[in-house]
Amino acid sequence: MRTTKALGVTGMVAAGVLAAVLLGATGAGAAPDAGTLYRQAMATTQAWSVHYTSSGTVSKVSNSQSGDAGPASGTQQVLIQTGATSDEASLVVIGQITYAKANAAGLKDLMGLSATQAAADANQWILFSTANAAFSQIVAGIRSHDVAEEIALKGPFTLGASRQLDGYEVDAIRGTLEVQGAKPARAVLYVRASGRPLPVEEDTVGAQGQPNGEDHIVFSQWGEQVRPKAPDATITLGPVSAT
């Protein structure tokens, strides 16, 4: 969950679509087209699991997240700093159930609980339906398809110069990123230049093309196993399906 902004890739149809997209990425010796490469990177992100860390500062509000995202489950740690106030939260999504543990400020600001309820429920594991619209903001960004939505760029797309980044040869896809609390920003998504087009980093950039610190994400451990264990929750919010 970025302070800006789940993955339903299922069955043989999704697998066939992904395979077609990935096979289309490997034209022998052909220079990648920015739009095509971007779509391939998004399809891969939606279907795979990954570890990520992100950070950014907008209007003197700094935020950082780290987590492990899978197609149906994921975990995330959140820290948002506004002056002397810190919103802290730990999140676990396991299919249709989400677990959250946060300090009082996090429960109030991120989950929308009243000050009284936030104080009473602080630092205890809470469970609620992943589909509960009241808590959609805090669930956003945890699973694979959420991550794809978080890093999604708007066109037109252009290719920057290839370079070495985090030990990989990468292609740079330039576009525009929606950033909460700020105007849409120029951004660059760096994807591996060989093999599957896996994202390596994403940065918002200024007019000169240099990172401006509004949003920075690093991806690693693609294809890792993401099977979080359910915490022992003591509080349930809203209706939760038994299935």
Side-chain angles (χ1 to χ4, degrees):
M1 178 207 63
R2 191 190 306 161
T3 52
T4 56
K5 323 194 200 223
L7 168 160
V9 177
T10 59
M12 295 179 64
V13 173
V17 171
L18 178 61
V21 169
L22 296 180
L23 287 173
T26 56
D33 167 79
T36 300
L37 186 60
Y38 171 76
R39 290 188 292 273
Q40 293 165 354
M42 290 298 99
T44 304
T45 302
Q46 290 181 357
W48 276 45
S49 56
V50 65
H51 177 77
Y52 61 89
T53 60
S54 70
S55 61
T57 301
V58 176
S59 299
K60 298 183 179 181
V61 177
S62 63
N63 70 85
S64 62
Q65 295 91 37
S66 64
D68 297 281
S73 302
T75 64
Q76 187 177 78
Q77 300 293 320
V78 180
L79 173 62
I80 300 174
Q81 189 77 36
T82 307
T85 301
S86 296
D87 296 344
E88 302 177 28
S90 298
L91 305 165
V92 178
V93 173
I94 303 176
Q96 299 304 309
I97 304 297
T98 293
Y99 302 83
K101 182 169 69 173
N103 64 358
L107 291 177
K108 181 175 179 291
D109 297 335
L110 303 178
M111 293 187 61
L113 302 189
S114 68
T116 300
Q117 187 174 7
D121 297 348
N123 301 312
Q124 301 181 69
W125 281 108
I126 299 167
L127 74 84
F128 51 89
S129 171
T130 302
N132 191 325
F135 306 123
S136 60
Q137 176 68 19
I138 200 168
V139 175
I142 299 179
R143 293 161 297 179
S144 300
H145 73 288
D146 301 318
V147 172
E149 292 179 1
E150 292 286 325
I151 67 174
L153 301 178
K154 291 185 177 180
F157 303 109
T158 59
L159 280 178
S162 298
R163 54 174 290 193
Q164 287 283 332
L165 186 64
D166 300 340
Y168 299 98
E169 185 75 16
V170 297
D171 291 317
I173 305 171
R174 295 172 175 166
T176 302
L177 180 69
E178 295 290 337
V179 180
Q180 183 176 346
K183 296 179 180 179
R186 296 183 179 92
V188 183
L189 177 64
Y190 298 96
V191 302
R192 295 186 193 181
S194 61
R196 287 186 173 91
L198 300 173
V200 175
E201 289 192 18
E202 185 178 70
D203 279 297
T204 53
V205 298
Q208 303 304 315
Q210 298 301 311
N212 62 11
E214 287 186 351
D215 198 57
H216 171 67
I217 309 175
V218 178
F219 302 95
S220 62
Q221 301 175 38
W222 282 100
E224 68 171 344
Q225 187 177 75
V226 179
R227 291 184 178 177
K229 181 180 178 180
D232 293 326
T234 57
I235 301 167
T236 300
L237 297 179
V240 176
S241 173
T243 58

